[in-house]
Amino acid sequence: MFDASGLAAGPYNVTYTYSDANQCTNSDSAVVTVNALPVLSCPASSLLNDVDCGVSASVAQAATDSKFNTWFNSFAGLNSDPNIEVVAVQYVYSPSNADPAGASNAPLNPIIGVPGSIETSVTVTWTIRNTETGCESSCSSTFTMSFNCRIGC
């Protein structure tokens, strides 16, 4: 079996030799092309700490959703090759209860009325595939929201 791991992209001459039950040996050769992995750029990790103090949780959530969506959507601008398709997006939240309810993906699940620093983050991993070669690649980046104020009720 041909194992391309660790090889640079390009053509390779591969010879397969085998012996049958009668100890007859035969071989065959072929050129195998190893395709390059797709080039992938993730948005830079982002730390935002500009949630307005004293706003309601819904206002804070809407502001965070907007900022997160701008950051998240920058992935498409960084990876505009028409031969690339996104095949998976995974979200990992910290703390785990920062995972918002509903359709939002922004990392903010405010703790109502608790003063002090609140920080939540989501690490997003994008996996893409080159539609011409079938090769896949992935990258990860983290969006963090930190604020030092009390969110109102």
Side-chain angles (χ1 to χ4, degrees):
M1 175 174 249
F2 180 73
D3 181 4
S5 58
L7 296 178
Y12 291 87
N13 292 317
V14 177
T15 302
Y16 178 71
T17 303
Y18 61 94
S19 297
D20 64 16
N22 296 322
Q23 300 303 315
C24 292
T25 302
N26 202 350
S27 63
D28 196 8
S29 297
V31 175
V32 174
T33 300
V34 175
N35 294 314
L37 290 175
V39 176
L40 181 63
S41 298
C42 261
S45 290
S46 179
L47 171 62
L48 298 176
N49 57 4
D50 58 353
V51 170
D52 294 329
C53 292
V55 299
S56 69
S58 62
V59 170
Q61 184 71 61
T64 303
D65 287 350
S66 174
K67 291 170 185 163
F68 174 80
N69 286 329
T70 298
W71 173 83
F72 181 85
N73 292 330
S74 70
F75 178 84
L78 294 170
N79 300 283
S80 58
D81 183 335
N83 297 321
I84 290 178
E85 65 180 351
V86 176
V87 293
V89 180
Q90 178 186 19
Y91 304 90
V92 176
Y93 292 87
S94 178
S96 60
N97 68 348
D99 188 352
S104 171
N105 291 323
L108 177 62
N109 189 2
I111 302 168
I112 303 301
V114 177
S117 178
I118 300 172
E119 184 170 291
T120 60
S121 66
V122 59
T123 298
V124 180
T125 301
W126 289 268
T127 301
I128 57 102
R129 176 183 303 129
N130 183 305
T131 56
E132 291 182 331
T133 65
C135 295
E136 292 186 0
S137 191
S138 62
C139 69
S140 298
S141 188
T142 301
F143 178 90
T144 301
M145 184 60 100
S146 177
F147 45 98
N148 295 305
C149 63
R150 177 182 174 180
I151 296 177
C153 297

